[in-house]
Short mmCIF file of all heavy atoms in Angstrom, two decimals:
data_model
loop_
_atom_site.label_atom_id
_atom_site.label_comp_id
_atom_site.label_asym_id
_atom_site.label_seq_id
_atom_site.Cartn_x
_atom_site.Cartn_y
_atom_site.Cartn_z
N ASP A 1 -2.93 14.17 -18.34
CA ASP A 1 -3.63 13.84 -17.10
C ASP A 1 -3.50 14.96 -16.07
O ASP A 1 -4.41 15.19 -15.27
CB ASP A 1 -3.10 12.54 -16.51
CG ASP A 1 -3.22 11.38 -17.49
OD1 ASP A 1 -4.29 11.23 -18.08
OD2 ASP A 1 -2.24 10.64 -17.64
N VAL A 2 -2.35 15.61 -16.05
CA VAL A 2 -2.10 16.70 -15.10
C VAL A 2 -1.44 17.87 -15.82
O VAL A 2 -0.67 17.67 -16.76
CB VAL A 2 -1.18 16.22 -13.93
CG1 VAL A 2 -1.88 15.19 -13.08
CG2 VAL A 2 0.14 15.67 -14.47
N PRO A 3 -1.73 19.11 -15.40
CA PRO A 3 -1.15 20.28 -16.07
C PRO A 3 0.23 20.63 -15.51
O PRO A 3 0.52 21.78 -15.18
CB PRO A 3 -2.17 21.38 -15.76
CG PRO A 3 -2.70 21.00 -14.41
CD PRO A 3 -2.73 19.49 -14.38
N LEU A 4 1.09 19.64 -15.41
CA LEU A 4 2.40 19.84 -14.79
C LEU A 4 3.50 19.28 -15.67
O LEU A 4 3.27 18.34 -16.46
CB LEU A 4 2.46 19.17 -13.42
CG LEU A 4 1.52 19.69 -12.34
CD1 LEU A 4 1.62 18.80 -11.10
CD2 LEU A 4 1.85 21.13 -11.98
N ARG A 5 4.71 19.80 -15.48
CA ARG A 5 5.90 19.29 -16.14
C ARG A 5 7.09 19.50 -15.22
O ARG A 5 7.01 20.21 -14.23
CB ARG A 5 6.17 20.03 -17.47
CG ARG A 5 5.28 19.60 -18.62
CD ARG A 5 5.62 20.37 -19.89
NE ARG A 5 4.90 19.83 -21.03
CZ ARG A 5 5.34 18.84 -21.76
NH1 ARG A 5 6.50 18.27 -21.49
NH2 ARG A 5 4.64 18.39 -22.79
N GLY A 6 8.23 18.90 -15.56
CA GLY A 6 9.47 19.17 -14.87
C GLY A 6 9.44 18.80 -13.39
O GLY A 6 8.87 17.81 -12.97
N ALA A 7 10.06 19.66 -12.58
CA ALA A 7 10.20 19.40 -11.15
C ALA A 7 8.86 19.26 -10.42
O ALA A 7 8.72 18.38 -9.57
CB ALA A 7 11.05 20.51 -10.51
N PRO A 8 7.85 20.11 -10.70
CA PRO A 8 6.56 19.91 -10.01
C PRO A 8 5.95 18.53 -10.29
O PRO A 8 5.39 17.91 -9.39
CB PRO A 8 5.69 21.04 -10.57
CG PRO A 8 6.65 22.10 -10.98
CD PRO A 8 7.85 21.36 -11.50
N LEU A 9 6.05 18.09 -11.54
CA LEU A 9 5.51 16.77 -11.88
C LEU A 9 6.29 15.67 -11.18
O LEU A 9 5.70 14.70 -10.66
CB LEU A 9 5.54 16.56 -13.39
CG LEU A 9 5.05 15.20 -13.89
CD1 LEU A 9 3.61 14.96 -13.47
CD2 LEU A 9 5.20 15.10 -15.41
N LEU A 10 7.62 15.81 -11.14
CA LEU A 10 8.44 14.82 -10.44
C LEU A 10 8.06 14.75 -8.96
O LEU A 10 7.93 13.67 -8.39
CB LEU A 10 9.92 15.17 -10.59
CG LEU A 10 10.90 14.28 -9.83
CD1 LEU A 10 10.83 12.85 -10.35
CD2 LEU A 10 12.33 14.82 -9.96
N GLY A 11 7.88 15.93 -8.34
CA GLY A 11 7.50 15.95 -6.94
C GLY A 11 6.15 15.28 -6.69
O GLY A 11 5.99 14.53 -5.73
N LEU A 12 5.18 15.54 -7.59
CA LEU A 12 3.87 14.90 -7.47
C LEU A 12 3.99 13.39 -7.56
O LEU A 12 3.41 12.64 -6.76
CB LEU A 12 2.93 15.43 -8.55
CG LEU A 12 1.56 14.74 -8.63
CD1 LEU A 12 0.73 15.04 -7.39
CD2 LEU A 12 0.82 15.19 -9.90
N ARG A 13 4.76 12.91 -8.54
CA ARG A 13 4.90 11.48 -8.76
C ARG A 13 5.60 10.79 -7.58
O ARG A 13 5.17 9.73 -7.13
CB ARG A 13 5.66 11.22 -10.06
CG ARG A 13 4.83 11.50 -11.30
CD ARG A 13 5.66 11.46 -12.57
NE ARG A 13 4.82 11.32 -13.76
CZ ARG A 13 5.27 11.36 -15.00
NH1 ARG A 13 6.58 11.57 -15.22
NH2 ARG A 13 4.45 11.20 -16.03
N VAL A 14 6.67 11.41 -7.10
CA VAL A 14 7.38 10.82 -5.96
C VAL A 14 6.49 10.80 -4.74
O VAL A 14 6.43 9.79 -4.01
CB VAL A 14 8.69 11.60 -5.69
CG1 VAL A 14 9.33 11.15 -4.39
CG2 VAL A 14 9.68 11.42 -6.84
N GLY A 15 5.78 11.91 -4.48
CA GLY A 15 4.91 11.98 -3.32
C GLY A 15 3.80 10.95 -3.36
O GLY A 15 3.53 10.27 -2.37
N LEU A 16 3.14 10.81 -4.52
CA LEU A 16 2.07 9.83 -4.66
C LEU A 16 2.59 8.40 -4.49
O LEU A 16 1.98 7.57 -3.80
CB LEU A 16 1.40 9.96 -6.04
CG LEU A 16 0.43 11.13 -6.22
CD1 LEU A 16 -0.05 11.20 -7.67
CD2 LEU A 16 -0.76 10.99 -5.29
N THR A 17 3.75 8.12 -5.09
CA THR A 17 4.32 6.77 -4.99
C THR A 17 4.66 6.42 -3.55
O THR A 17 4.33 5.32 -3.07
CB THR A 17 5.57 6.66 -5.88
OG1 THR A 17 5.22 6.95 -7.24
CG2 THR A 17 6.17 5.27 -5.81
N LEU A 18 5.31 7.34 -2.85
CA LEU A 18 5.69 7.08 -1.45
C LEU A 18 4.44 6.95 -0.56
O LEU A 18 4.39 6.09 0.33
CB LEU A 18 6.58 8.20 -0.94
CG LEU A 18 7.99 8.28 -1.55
CD1 LEU A 18 8.75 9.47 -0.97
CD2 LEU A 18 8.75 7.00 -1.32
N ALA A 19 3.43 7.79 -0.81
CA ALA A 19 2.20 7.72 0.01
C ALA A 19 1.48 6.39 -0.20
O ALA A 19 1.06 5.73 0.77
CB ALA A 19 1.28 8.88 -0.34
N LEU A 20 1.34 5.96 -1.45
CA LEU A 20 0.67 4.70 -1.73
C LEU A 20 1.45 3.51 -1.18
O LEU A 20 0.88 2.56 -0.64
CB LEU A 20 0.46 4.54 -3.24
CG LEU A 20 -0.57 5.49 -3.86
CD1 LEU A 20 -0.49 5.46 -5.38
CD2 LEU A 20 -1.98 5.12 -3.40
N ALA A 21 2.79 3.57 -1.31
CA ALA A 21 3.62 2.49 -0.78
C ALA A 21 3.52 2.42 0.74
O ALA A 21 3.47 1.33 1.32
CB ALA A 21 5.07 2.69 -1.21
N ALA A 22 3.48 3.58 1.40
CA ALA A 22 3.35 3.60 2.86
C ALA A 22 2.01 3.02 3.30
O ALA A 22 1.94 2.26 4.28
CB ALA A 22 3.51 5.04 3.37
N LEU A 23 0.94 3.37 2.59
CA LEU A 23 -0.39 2.84 2.94
C LEU A 23 -0.47 1.34 2.72
O LEU A 23 -1.00 0.61 3.57
CB LEU A 23 -1.46 3.56 2.11
CG LEU A 23 -1.72 5.03 2.47
CD1 LEU A 23 -2.65 5.68 1.46
CD2 LEU A 23 -2.31 5.13 3.88
N SER A 24 0.04 0.88 1.58
CA SER A 24 -0.02 -0.57 1.32
C SER A 24 0.87 -1.34 2.30
O SER A 24 0.55 -2.46 2.68
CB SER A 24 0.38 -0.87 -0.13
OG SER A 24 1.72 -0.49 -0.38
N TYR A 25 1.99 -0.74 2.71
CA TYR A 25 2.87 -1.38 3.69
C TYR A 25 2.14 -1.52 5.03
O TYR A 25 2.17 -2.57 5.67
CB TYR A 25 4.13 -0.55 3.86
CG TYR A 25 5.10 -1.09 4.89
CD1 TYR A 25 5.91 -2.19 4.61
CD2 TYR A 25 5.20 -0.50 6.15
CE1 TYR A 25 6.80 -2.69 5.56
CE2 TYR A 25 6.08 -0.98 7.11
CZ TYR A 25 6.88 -2.07 6.80
OH TYR A 25 7.75 -2.57 7.75
N ARG A 26 1.45 -0.43 5.43
CA ARG A 26 0.77 -0.43 6.73
C ARG A 26 -0.45 -1.33 6.76
O ARG A 26 -0.69 -2.06 7.72
CB ARG A 26 0.38 1.02 7.09
CG ARG A 26 -0.53 1.17 8.31
CD ARG A 26 0.16 0.73 9.60
NE ARG A 26 -0.73 0.87 10.74
CZ ARG A 26 -1.66 -0.02 11.09
NH1 ARG A 26 -1.81 -1.14 10.38
NH2 ARG A 26 -2.42 0.20 12.14
N PHE A 27 -1.25 -1.30 5.70
CA PHE A 27 -2.55 -1.96 5.76
C PHE A 27 -2.62 -3.27 4.97
O PHE A 27 -3.62 -3.98 5.05
CB PHE A 27 -3.64 -1.01 5.25
CG PHE A 27 -3.82 0.19 6.13
CD1 PHE A 27 -3.36 1.44 5.74
CD2 PHE A 27 -4.43 0.08 7.37
CE1 PHE A 27 -3.52 2.55 6.55
CE2 PHE A 27 -4.59 1.19 8.19
CZ PHE A 27 -4.14 2.43 7.78
N VAL A 28 -1.56 -3.59 4.20
CA VAL A 28 -1.55 -4.84 3.44
C VAL A 28 -0.36 -5.70 3.81
O VAL A 28 -0.51 -6.84 4.27
CB VAL A 28 -1.57 -4.58 1.92
CG1 VAL A 28 -1.55 -5.90 1.14
CG2 VAL A 28 -2.80 -3.76 1.53
N GLU A 29 0.85 -5.17 3.63
CA GLU A 29 2.05 -5.99 3.84
C GLU A 29 2.21 -6.42 5.31
O GLU A 29 2.39 -7.61 5.59
CB GLU A 29 3.30 -5.21 3.38
CG GLU A 29 3.38 -5.00 1.88
CD GLU A 29 4.68 -4.32 1.49
OE1 GLU A 29 5.76 -4.82 1.88
OE2 GLU A 29 4.63 -3.28 0.81
N LEU A 30 2.17 -5.46 6.24
CA LEU A 30 2.37 -5.80 7.65
C LEU A 30 1.31 -6.79 8.17
O LEU A 30 1.66 -7.79 8.81
CB LEU A 30 2.40 -4.54 8.50
CG LEU A 30 3.70 -3.74 8.48
CD1 LEU A 30 3.60 -2.52 9.39
CD2 LEU A 30 4.88 -4.61 8.89
N PRO A 31 0.02 -6.54 7.91
CA PRO A 31 -0.98 -7.52 8.40
C PRO A 31 -0.73 -8.92 7.84
O PRO A 31 -0.87 -9.91 8.56
CB PRO A 31 -2.31 -6.94 7.91
CG PRO A 31 -2.07 -5.46 7.81
CD PRO A 31 -0.65 -5.34 7.35
N ILE A 32 -0.37 -9.01 6.56
CA ILE A 32 -0.14 -10.34 5.97
C ILE A 32 1.09 -10.98 6.61
O ILE A 32 1.10 -12.18 6.93
CB ILE A 32 0.02 -10.23 4.45
CG1 ILE A 32 -1.33 -9.87 3.81
CG2 ILE A 32 0.56 -11.52 3.85
CD1 ILE A 32 -1.27 -9.66 2.32
N ARG A 33 2.14 -10.21 6.83
CA ARG A 33 3.36 -10.73 7.47
C ARG A 33 3.05 -11.23 8.90
O ARG A 33 3.69 -12.15 9.38
CB ARG A 33 4.44 -9.66 7.53
CG ARG A 33 5.05 -9.32 6.19
CD ARG A 33 6.09 -8.22 6.34
NE ARG A 33 6.63 -7.82 5.06
CZ ARG A 33 7.53 -6.85 4.91
NH1 ARG A 33 7.97 -6.22 5.99
NH2 ARG A 33 7.96 -6.53 3.72
N GLN A 34 2.10 -10.58 9.54
CA GLN A 34 1.76 -10.94 10.91
C GLN A 34 0.66 -12.01 10.99
O GLN A 34 0.09 -12.23 12.04
CB GLN A 34 1.34 -9.68 11.67
CG GLN A 34 2.47 -8.67 11.81
CD GLN A 34 2.00 -7.28 12.24
OE1 GLN A 34 0.79 -7.06 12.41
NE2 GLN A 34 2.94 -6.36 12.39
N GLY A 35 0.37 -12.65 9.86
CA GLY A 35 -0.54 -13.78 9.86
C GLY A 35 -1.99 -13.47 9.64
O GLY A 35 -2.86 -14.31 9.98
N ALA A 36 -2.31 -12.30 9.06
CA ALA A 36 -3.72 -11.92 8.90
C ALA A 36 -4.47 -12.91 8.01
O ALA A 36 -5.61 -13.28 8.32
CB ALA A 36 -3.81 -10.51 8.32
N LEU A 37 -3.86 -13.34 6.91
CA LEU A 37 -4.54 -14.26 6.01
C LEU A 37 -4.80 -15.60 6.68
O LEU A 37 -5.87 -16.22 6.49
CB LEU A 37 -3.72 -14.45 4.72
CG LEU A 37 -3.60 -13.22 3.82
CD1 LEU A 37 -2.79 -13.56 2.58
CD2 LEU A 37 -4.97 -12.69 3.43
N GLY A 38 -3.82 -16.08 7.47
CA GLY A 38 -4.02 -17.34 8.19
C GLY A 38 -5.17 -17.23 9.18
O GLY A 38 -5.99 -18.16 9.31
N ARG A 39 -5.26 -16.09 9.88
CA ARG A 39 -6.34 -15.91 10.86
C ARG A 39 -7.70 -15.83 10.16
O ARG A 39 -8.71 -16.34 10.66
CB ARG A 39 -6.09 -14.66 11.69
CG ARG A 39 -4.90 -14.81 12.65
CD ARG A 39 -4.87 -13.67 13.65
NE ARG A 39 -4.62 -12.39 13.01
CZ ARG A 39 -3.39 -11.90 12.78
NH1 ARG A 39 -2.31 -12.60 13.13
NH2 ARG A 39 -3.25 -10.72 12.22
N VAL A 40 -7.73 -15.15 9.00
CA VAL A 40 -8.98 -15.08 8.26
C VAL A 40 -9.42 -16.47 7.81
O VAL A 40 -10.61 -16.83 7.90
CB VAL A 40 -8.81 -14.14 7.03
CG1 VAL A 40 -10.01 -14.27 6.09
CG2 VAL A 40 -8.67 -12.69 7.48
N TRP A 41 -8.48 -17.26 7.34
CA TRP A 41 -8.81 -18.61 6.92
C TRP A 41 -9.33 -19.45 8.10
O TRP A 41 -10.29 -20.21 7.95
CB TRP A 41 -7.59 -19.26 6.28
CG TRP A 41 -7.80 -20.68 5.85
CD1 TRP A 41 -7.18 -21.79 6.30
CD2 TRP A 41 -8.71 -21.14 4.84
NE1 TRP A 41 -7.64 -22.91 5.67
CE2 TRP A 41 -8.58 -22.54 4.76
CE3 TRP A 41 -9.64 -20.49 4.01
CZ2 TRP A 41 -9.33 -23.32 3.89
CZ3 TRP A 41 -10.39 -21.27 3.14
CH2 TRP A 41 -10.23 -22.66 3.08
N ASP A 42 -8.71 -19.28 9.26
CA ASP A 42 -9.18 -19.98 10.47
C ASP A 42 -10.59 -19.55 10.83
O ASP A 42 -11.43 -20.38 11.23
CB ASP A 42 -8.23 -19.72 11.64
CG ASP A 42 -6.88 -20.41 11.44
OD1 ASP A 42 -6.82 -21.37 10.64
OD2 ASP A 42 -5.89 -19.97 12.09
N ASP A 43 -10.88 -18.23 10.71
CA ASP A 43 -12.21 -17.73 11.00
C ASP A 43 -13.25 -18.34 10.07
O ASP A 43 -14.36 -18.71 10.48
CB ASP A 43 -12.25 -16.20 10.87
CG ASP A 43 -11.47 -15.50 11.97
OD1 ASP A 43 -11.20 -16.16 13.01
OD2 ASP A 43 -11.14 -14.31 11.80
N ILE A 44 -12.89 -18.44 8.78
CA ILE A 44 -13.82 -19.01 7.81
C ILE A 44 -14.09 -20.48 8.13
O ILE A 44 -15.24 -20.94 8.11
CB ILE A 44 -13.27 -18.85 6.38
CG1 ILE A 44 -13.19 -17.36 5.99
CG2 ILE A 44 -14.11 -19.61 5.37
CD1 ILE A 44 -12.52 -17.08 4.67
N ARG A 45 -13.03 -21.20 8.43
CA ARG A 45 -13.22 -22.62 8.77
C ARG A 45 -14.06 -22.80 10.04
O ARG A 45 -14.94 -23.67 10.10
CB ARG A 45 -11.84 -23.28 8.95
CG ARG A 45 -11.05 -23.39 7.66
CD ARG A 45 -9.64 -23.86 7.91
NE ARG A 45 -9.63 -25.18 8.56
CZ ARG A 45 -8.53 -25.75 9.02
NH1 ARG A 45 -7.37 -25.12 8.95
NH2 ARG A 45 -8.60 -26.96 9.58
#
């Protein structure tokens, strides 16, 4: 999938994992913790 091995590949994998986790934390986990799904359900009702 990628032309990398060793330390460069490890760096790419760690960087991608942390970036994706940070985005999902900011835009998925936090909103849900703060009641986003409940508010959406109220809006639908």
Side-chain angles (χ1 to χ4, degrees):
D1 302 314
V2 294
L4 297 174
R5 283 180 172 273
L9 178 60
L10 176 63
L12 174 67
R13 286 171 163 174
V14 171
L16 283 175
T17 301
L18 291 179
L20 290 168
L23 289 172
S24 63
Y25 178 77
R26 170 65 180 82
F27 296 106
V28 180
E29 291 184 53
L30 282 181
I32 290 177
R33 289 179 184 178
Q34 296 165 359
L37 293 181
R39 291 192 294 272
V40 168
W41 178 243
D42 290 340
D43 290 343
I44 294 174
R45 292 172 60 188

